[in-house]
Amino acid sequence: MNFLFVLLTALLVSMAIIPIMIRLAPVLGMVDLPDPRKVHSVPIPRVGGIGIVLGALISILLWVPISSAIAFYLFGSVVLLIFGTWDDCRELGHYVKFIGQFVAVIGLVYFGDVWVALVPFMDDPLPAYIGKPFTVVAIVGMINAINHSDGLDGLAAGESMLSLACVAYLAYVADGIAVTLIALAVMGGVFGFLRFNTHPARVFMGDSGSQFLGFSLGALAVILTQQTNTGLSMALPALILGLPIVDILAVFAQRAYQGLNWFKATRNHIHHRLLDLGFDHYQSVVVIYAIQTFFVLSALALQYEADAVLLSLYLGVCALVFVLLILGERTGWRVNRHGSESRLSRFVLSLKSHPLFSTAPTLFIRITVPAFFVIVSLWVGDVPRDFGLTGVAIAAVLLVAMLFDRVQSNAYLVRIAIYGTAAFLVYLTHQYTSQLPEDFPELRWAYFVALALAIVIVVRYVHDVDFRSTPMDYLVVFLVIASGLFMDGASADSAFGEMVIKGVILFYGCEIIINRGNKFWGRVLNISVMAASGILGAKGLLQL
């Protein structure tokens, strides 16, 4: 069950921090300005990495047992956060950034004892005086690979998510719980960031985020293959980490061939070259995601194959990618010759603007969430007396708030009342189900899955939704953390994890109704919650 709380804690902390940082970005100077090498045309805050890092680290500190390796992983993450944030504020030179990267990685390798001893095609392990320096250079290289791949909205985050999911699975099946938890924590931080990074992005992760992701991927790949499961092919990290490795190597090779500074930013990464071939933003990201997905699935399918097989597959696919890029560039081929939008872009844009994609999910939330409150309160048969008293109090609070709806403080009282009733209903449907239909658990899960899907669509794609960070975000963070702490002493078959998931989904459904600014649906929600709490109150007080 800790897997759930690790992911949720990181996600929710990240979601709560990023909106605050977006507002502070202009004051701190953490804004990415357009230039000819970049693909965005307006200033964008580059503060998302702070949310990713803090979300992941807080989750790890709460749920993961701290060993020496993990302690120095945390140390390195904080160092990279400091240097990355400094760079996002002041545009440090690459040599200064290298100082932070080497400090972070040397601590992990030499003091956390995380280093590569087993390598492809060699039966005997490397001695420490070779393996440790090699590991330092390799992880620093991975940090820069992810840092340089962060050129399109969602690109570095998506590539990292695929690799992290692969690491988490491989570690889980090998009983590497610590690696699994860390990978999930980082994924949770990235999920929270992606809420604000839909193209066109409202926020970039910046160096603080991209360096942390590269560091995490490099460290976890080493721990996975060198400590957690040494039976894996030692060539497996090439497939797990995938396209960013060969991309950065190809860029360095090009710069060296052209006599350029190796570390001076240029427009010759794979995503830049795809854009120059006429691929639009969506197509470029999909192409790179597809290649990275192939590598990750190959890693899962071929995890115990010979090193030669894995490296041949990896190098063969990479060679094919670059051959196709070079052929396209030299022949003048363009995927969208007339500069028009691609079919994929037209499909995505038409999907976003279609009523079934925008209006329907909003209407589904507005109708079914209030209905859930009323229907479930009528269905629940047994209500404890203390819940009944609380229900009466909540109904009274909502009634007073509706009578004096111009009082500013009422907004917070109403939110607390709504969230409290939602939590009660989710709990009661798990603990007091004797009066419910036999197929209610399946119907309940189907509803929450549909509600979660509708919420994701509305939050990410319906642009007139003012879905900002509110006290609810912090309440949800507290709920997840408190529930997880309670779970440490609960029985293994406890349903608290499931209740937290459903409670979070219901909370955000309520938040969308409140934040849409439509007074009619806001009143419908308030009345339904008042009715539900009144019904629960009556049932509880009638208990003998």
Side-chain angles (χ1 to χ4, degrees):
M1 192 59 66
N2 274 352
F3 296 141
L4 167 69
F5 291 109
V6 165
L7 185 66
L8 278 178
T9 303
L11 184 153
L12 295 169
V13 171
S14 177
M15 286 173 61
I17 289 173
I18 290 176
I20 299 172
M21 295 308 304
I22 289 175
R23 298 187 187 102
L24 292 175
V27 178
L28 299 173
M30 300 178 70
V31 177
D32 198 325
L33 300 175
D35 68 39
R37 190 183 63 84
K38 299 172 182 176
V39 298
H40 62 284
S41 57
V42 297
I44 304 290
R46 47 186 177 197
V47 294
I50 296 175
I52 294 173
V53 178
L54 293 182
L57 297 191
I58 289 172
S59 182
I60 291 169
L61 288 170
L62 285 170
W63 309 119
V64 182
I66 305 300
S67 64
S68 174
I70 294 174
F72 281 98
Y73 165 77
L74 295 173
F75 166 77
S77 299
V78 172
V79 169
L80 290 173
L81 174 62
I82 293 170
F83 274 81
T85 304
W86 187 12
D87 179 68
D88 292 331
C89 291
R90 297 289 180 264
E91 293 283 356
L92 302 177
H94 46 268
Y95 293 114
V96 178
K97 289 197 289 186
F98 274 136
I99 293 174
Q101 293 169 9
F102 276 101
V103 168
V105 178
I106 287 172
L108 177 70
V109 172
Y110 283 89
F111 299 98
D113 205 32
V114 175
W115 57 285
V116 174
L118 304 172
V119 295
F121 308 116
M122 292 183 62
D123 295 329
D124 297 327
L126 295 175
Y129 67 85
I130 295 177
K132 289 186 176 181
F134 169 76
T135 306
V136 170
V137 173
I139 297 180
V140 168
M142 192 63 205
I143 291 172
N144 285 281
I146 296 297
N147 182 233
H148 284 256
S149 71
D150 185 26
L152 297 178
D153 296 344
L155 182 57
E159 287 181 301
S160 299
M161 288 288 287
L162 290 167
S163 298
L164 287 165
C166 181
V167 168
Y169 175 78
L170 292 174
Y172 175 74
V173 297
D175 293 326
I177 302 303
V179 173
T180 305
L181 293 175
I182 293 173
L184 289 175
V186 179
M187 289 174 68
V190 176
F191 270 128
F193 163 75
L194 287 174
R195 168 181 163 182
F196 307 95
N197 192 240
T198 302
H199 177 66
R202 293 168 52 192
V203 64
F204 293 156
M205 69 171 65
D207 274 24
S208 58
S210 59
Q211 291 191 103
F212 169 72
L213 291 179
F215 177 67
S216 298
L217 286 169
L220 292 175
V222 172
I223 297 172
L224 173 68
T225 55
Q226 303 296 315
Q227 299 178 10
T228 302
N229 186 1
T230 56
L232 294 170
S233 168
M234 290 302 112
L236 199 65
L239 291 176
I240 295 174
L241 304 176
L243 203 56
I245 298 175
V246 72
D247 183 33
I248 192 69
L249 292 175
V251 167
F252 283 160
Q254 269 189 299
R255 292 174 186 172
Y257 177 75
Q258 296 171 0
L260 301 174
N261 185 330
W262 282 28
F263 306 110
K264 181 177 175 61
T266 55
R267 190 182 166 85
N268 54 358
H269 289 278
I270 290 176
H271 57 271
H272 290 134
R273 297 171 72 175
L274 289 172
L275 292 172
D276 291 341
L277 286 173
F279 289 88
D280 61 27
H281 186 283
Y282 289 110
Q283 289 175 312
S284 301
V285 171
V286 167
V287 168
I288 293 173
Y289 278 1
I291 299 169
Q292 187 76 351
T293 300
F294 174 80
F295 282 140
V296 166
L297 293 178
S298 298
L300 295 175
L302 306 173
Q303 55 189 283
Y304 295 111
E305 290 292 333
D307 295 334
V309 173
L310 270 63
L311 286 178
S312 297
L313 175 65
Y314 178 71
L315 295 175
V317 173
C318 292
L320 179 62
V321 169
F322 284 104
V323 166
L324 293 175
L325 286 173
I326 293 170
L327 284 175
E329 290 164 349
R330 293 187 176 179
T331 59
W333 178 84
R334 295 291 181 271
V335 66
N336 300 315
R337 286 190 174 277
H338 303 293
S340 60
E341 292 177 337
S342 67
R343 291 182 180 179
L344 177 61
S345 291
R346 290 198 298 271
F347 171 75
V348 172
L349 293 173
S350 65
L351 190 63
K352 287 182 179 181
S353 61
H354 197 283
L356 290 178
F357 195 78
S358 55
T359 306
T362 305
L363 191 60
F364 176 80
I365 295 169
R366 285 172 165 175
I367 292 174
T368 63
V369 170
F372 176 87
F373 280 95
V374 176
I375 293 172
V376 172
S377 64
L378 290 171
W379 258 344
V380 172
D382 301 319
V383 178
R385 190 174 183 84
D386 56 343
F387 275 48
L389 292 171
T390 305
V392 171
I394 290 175
V397 167
L398 287 171
L399 179 61
V400 171
M402 290 179 63
L403 293 175
F404 301 95
D405 60 356
R406 294 185 180 180
V407 179
Q408 186 65 32
S409 61
N410 283 348
Y412 295 103
L413 292 175
V414 168
R415 271 190 168 88
I416 292 171
I418 291 173
Y419 302 147
T421 305
F424 286 162
L425 286 176
V426 170
Y427 175 78
L428 290 172
T429 57
H430 277 266
Q431 303 300 322
Y432 300 92
T433 58
S434 59
Q435 303 297 321
L436 300 178
E438 291 184 2
D439 57 353
F440 183 77
E442 289 76 15
L443 292 174
R444 183 177 55 199
W445 262 119
Y447 169 67
F448 277 102
V449 169
L451 180 59
L453 180 61
I455 291 169
V456 169
I457 292 172
V458 170
V459 169
R460 289 179 64 85
Y461 298 111
V462 180
H463 297 298
D464 64 335
V465 177
D466 185 19
F467 198 77
R468 299 177 181 175
S469 179
T470 70
M472 188 276 302
D473 287 300
Y474 303 98
L475 177 64
V476 172
V477 171
F478 172 77
L479 172 67
V480 173
I481 293 173
S483 299
L485 292 173
F486 180 80
M487 274 295 298
D488 285 343
S491 61
D493 62 346
S494 173
F496 270 93
E498 182 180 339
M499 285 190 282
V500 168
I501 292 176
K502 293 175 180 176
V504 168
I505 293 171
L506 195 57
F507 288 174
Y508 279 109
C510 295
E511 191 68 16
I512 286 175
I513 296 175
I514 295 170
N515 279 347
R516 285 306 297 271
N518 188 303
K519 291 185 178 180
F520 172 77
W521 289 107
R523 286 184 176 274
V524 169
L525 177 64
N526 291 352
I527 292 170
S528 68
V529 174
M530 183 171 63
S533 56
I535 293 169
L536 294 178
K539 289 184 176 182
L541 295 178
L542 291 174
Q543 296 293 325
L544 296 178

